[in-house]
Amino acid sequence: MLLGIDVGGTYTDAVVVSGGKVLAQAKAPTTHDDLLHGILDALDRVLAGVDAAGIRRVALSTTIVTNAVVEGRLERAGLLLLPGPGMDISSLVPERPWLLSGYIDHRGRETAPPDEAEVAVACRGLADCEVFAVAGKFAVRNPAHEQAVAAWLRRYAAPAHITLGSAVAGSLNFWRRANSAYYNAATWRHFGRFARAAQAAVAGRGVTAPLYILKADGGTMPLTTAGERPVEAVFTGPAASVLGIMALAAPRGEAVSLDIGGTTTDIALWRDGAPLFAERGAKIGDYPTAVRSFWLRSIGVGGDSFVRREGGRIAVGPERRGPAMALGGPVPTVSDAMIVAGAADFGDKDKAGEAMRLTAADGESVQDTARAVLGAAADAIYAAIENMIDERAAEPVYRVEDAVRDRRPQPAALVGVGGAAEGLAPLVAERLGVCCTVPAGAMVANAVGAAVARPTIEVTLRADTAQGYYTVAELGLRSALPSRRFGLADARELAARHLAERAAAAGIPVADVESVYDEEFNLVRGFSTTGKIIACRLQIKPGVFAVEEGA
Amino acid sequence: MAVKPFGLVFFPAFDWALTPTHPEREERLLYTRDQIVEEGLLDMPGIREYKPRLATLRDADRVHIGVPDIASHITDAHLVSAGGAITAAEAVIKGEVARAFALVRPPGHHAMRVVHGTRGFCTINIEAVMVEHLRRHHGVRRVAIVDTDVHHGDGTQDIFYHDPDTLFISFHQDGRTLYPGSGFTDEAGSPPAIGATINLPLPPGTTDEGLHYVLDNLILPVLEDFRPDIVINSAGQDNHYSDPLANMAITAQGYASLAAKLKADVAVLEGGYSIEDALPYVNTGIILAMAGLDYSRVVEPDIAAAPRGLTGGARAYLRELVAKQTALWRDREPLGNAAAAKAGDFWTRRRGIYYDDSGISEQQVEKLRLCPHCHGYLTVASEAEGHRCGYQSAFAAVVPREPCPTCRQGAKDAVLAAKRQGKYRHYIIQDKENDSLERV
């Protein structure tokens, strides 16, 4: 049995999944001042009729890291950058950085060494910091400088934790890695405290299974690994819902999914049963990071969205002023319209009718008003989807073949989950001219997603045969190539070995390895080929343990 | 921030090469990509990246006379590269961005009006295709093109040689020492357009100081005086001190401050073959400078290797050059009148053009009608021989923008008369007014 817990804005959901079926589900109010309280409440309720000893894994999708960022509960992290020559990003990072000498160029060669004395000075300036982030330009091509600075930090300060930029992400983008490293260090202690408390509390319920944390890219990581990489746990809520959809009704071909909750609708685009990723990484606050995540858009339309007329036209959201009037709320909502239109059946129907009467234009029937409200909500979601598709179509391309074979994505199906999906998803599908699925289990899709999310991990290998070395950024590794005759196939094989190593260290089983990216260039100097630059990234495919349809 | 963003079209054409070991190959913008992605430039709030569109054959036909046709000389890569330039320019014209840089390949500034093959790595002239697209679809008229590539922009010069509405200024390493061997001060435009072509041959080894002397004392004042609707920078990066194909001494800082002063509306990448040691830094510097961001920290790791200063002889030469070209600009009207009077009704030029990449030699006779009412029609008789094409020939006439009835008819009559004589294989009328390329 797999146990999944999703901490949402209003409710914390818990489900137990086994043999592809949802065996138990429970809800408890989310306790914002102490998330653990609500988590344990939901856990107790879901375990009521279940043998806790039979749980093989507990996976948690939590807003703990996101909240720490949003609420500014970050620990001040000392930020040390080795920017080399280039753009000055000092004013573009969340904390005033210490700039250090030392430069690695684009081929991973040292062109200027780092300076120990500068680090000593920085440590005196950062005497009040206990956590540090170190990021160097092109450190993913050669992490030696970052590692040297970390060693000096240990000599001149007493760091509780150091995050290296090259260890947070293997891809190019110094600015994003610097931001990621900073947030990782700044949330490290807070997350660690929560993780230990969660582990102890779950154990206290007689669950001996290991605890996993969901990542923004839909994978899970064991709590032990997560403690070192908390930044990957930002934005797990929407990732959980996407995985829930993958488990309950993965759409084929090109598709759109909607998670229509109380306040917002999260939109994802899909291709061949997999959701699309944000090309470069997620944004935390105003800062772009290298945290891999699904490509999602959230708009302020949901069941509890405040409905009124503005200049004669119906306006929906983005504000939420409380639950539906049918549930005793103060103002008309989308849910009230759904009840009147017969698309939902809960609460006090008369109150829902009253809500529509308050919204109706002169002489308009409450049914017509309800339909108009749902239409306006569907229009807003539809417009956001079109906007996402346009943006995707405008993604730059770097190869002639891709520029010529240009095509706008065209979704052929729509899947809706979440509390308000029944009422709205079909209307959106109608505007797109595609068929609509709202799977059973849609109400707890997020918790199901957390429960069945498979662990995932990735490695980026880059080989430079002219210089005879390769790096695996995520492992902080730089070593000699086994031979000078080294091609893309060899690179993939070597990367697979390191992926297996990294997975083993993290306690993750290796299955379903996929290549997410590769590149091979001849190095030509003068008029002859002197070597190759090869890059490839392998990952254990994010995905789900199977859940039967109709579970 | 209410400031408009900077537009970037980055198209490294990672799957296209002239030949596997040619300088113009897949690897060329690889390190530039690495650098700008690593810097985080593409994520900067003030920088908007655009996807290149595909230019059409009609866009190319508006500029070129392909023999037998343009389609048989180009690949999709050329249409993406020219399309990238158009995308960048349109983003500026539509007001979406303040300025834009099309960092694209393959390049285009050696491609002339008539195209028999590839010369200087260029097959179609991507700036010219962009300019004529802007004229046709966006009502742009007065255009200034500043060619900062180390090689003379002979193709761009050729295409606009008779057009007084296009100011073409090219500085480059002296043609006596470098391909394509042209770009001397006496190439100044045909009679109706004298002074609209300004060449600045620079001595090998010219440093930032020398370049900025020419920029400050000639290029910027002439631009100011010309009052163009749009300023285009044909932005080759091969004046860099590390470039393997040339012998100049410009640094990334020199290029970046040039871009900052020039304030071009659109820059289009041309050459630059120091793919590891120069392009990553020069391109980063230019992007930052054009975007109005701080570029002062962009310095090559091996900057100590850059030659500095300027010799006394070079300084005197540059002073003289600037004085001479300033006089050309100042006296362009009387000079034009005198040249027209000397030529009579038709201005004629005979020349040989060599296609180094295709191994083709072309002989061309151009005749421009010196018309008091319009820019005058042009005829080009072209014969080419080379190992790939065997023998090719064509006779073409160009009807100018806003032609007078006499020139419109004259162009047509000239082609029909040539066809009756039957000396050539192809007979073509390129009509700039009706935007058509007709085979007769």
Side-chain angles (χ1 to χ4, degrees), chain B residues 169-193:
Chain B
I169 305 178
S170 176
F171 70 70
H172 40 264
Q173 184 176 324
D174 192 320
R176 289 169 299 186
T177 62
L178 192 68
Y179 180 89
S182 56
F184 300 101
T185 51
D186 59 340
E187 298 161 41
S190 60

Side-chain angles (χ1 to χ4, degrees), chain A residues 294-446:
Chain A
F294 292 132
W295 188 51
L296 300 162
R297 178 134 320 155
S298 194
I299 68 160
V301 175
D304 293 342
S305 291
F306 170 38
V307 170
R308 70 282 178 195
R309 277 188 187 270
E310 275 173 7
R313 300 178 73 91
I314 287 174
V316 176
E319 208 186 338
R320 175 187 186 271
R321 291 194 177 173
M325 281 177 71
L327 294 177
V331 293
T333 68
V334 171
S335 294
D336 289 318
M338 286 179 12
I339 293 166
V340 170
D345 185 15
F346 61 85
D348 183 334
K349 286 197 177 58
D350 292 339
K351 288 239 174 83
E354 196 196 321
M356 288 304 101
R357 250 191 310 282
L358 286 172
T359 316
D362 283 344
E364 191 181 37
S365 75
V366 291
Q367 269 76 23
D368 285 347
T369 307
R371 272 193 291 275
V373 167
L374 297 182
D379 284 343
I381 298 170
Y382 170 73
I385 294 170
E386 286 291 310
N387 201 282
M388 275 181 96
I389 294 172
D390 286 345
E391 224 173 88
R392 196 73 192 180
E395 277 295 326
V397 293
Y398 294 163
R399 293 157 43 87
V400 177
E401 194 192 321
D402 300 330
V404 173
R405 216 192 31 200
D406 184 24
R407 199 179 65 82
R408 195 173 184 272
Q410 219 169 11
L414 182 141
V415 181
V417 296
E422 288 280 3
L424 280 181
L427 298 177
V428 179
E430 202 177 293
R431 279 160 180 69
L432 280 168
V434 303
C435 60
C436 176
T437 314
V438 178
M443 303 288 278
V444 288
N446 288 32

Side-chain angles (χ1 to χ4, degrees), chain A residues 1-6 13-26 43 46-47 50-60 202 207 209-212 220 243 247 444 446-455 509 543-548:
Chain A
M1 292 185 291
L2 304 171
L3 197 156
I5 300 171
D6 172 63
D13 289 316
V15 297
V16 173
V17 177
S18 177
K21 289 203 165 56
V22 176
L23 294 186
Q25 61 185 72
L43 186 67
V46 84
L47 286 176
V50 176
D51 173 20
I55 304 283
R56 276 196 296 125
R57 190 185 85 157
V58 181
L60 189 59
V202 169
V207 178
L211 188 56
Y212 282 73
T220 58
L243 286 161
V444 288
N446 288 32
V448 171
V452 299
R454 287 195 310 206
V544 294
F545 299 115
V547 175
E548 279 165 24

Side-chain angles (χ1 to χ4, degrees), chain A residues 146-216:
Chain A
E146 283 186 356
Q147 288 164 355
V149 170
W152 292 329
L153 272 175
R154 280 183 216 106
R155 183 175 304 168
Y156 298 105
H161 170 87
I162 304 173
T163 302
L164 299 188
S166 60
V168 213
S171 46
L172 288 181
N173 201 319
F174 170 60
W175 184 24
R176 284 180 179 269
R177 290 196 312 273
N179 289 334
S180 298
Y182 175 79
Y183 281 116
N184 196 62
T187 55
W188 171 81
R189 197 188 304 267
H190 187 64
F191 182 82
R193 211 179 285 132
F194 168 80
R196 282 188 297 276
Q199 183 83 76
V202 169
R205 271 24 183 211
V207 178
T208 52
L211 188 56
Y212 282 73
I213 296 284
L214 197 69
K215 299 193 295 173

Side-chain angles (χ1 to χ4, degrees), chain A residues 460-485:
Chain A
T460 313
L461 184 140
R462 184 174 176 283
D464 183 328
T465 69
Q467 294 190 77
Y469 80 90
Y470 73 98
T471 52
V472 179
E474 294 88 347
L475 297 172
L477 179 83
R478 185 177 203 269
S479 49
L481 280 174
S483 84
R484 284 189 87 80
R485 298 189 55 82

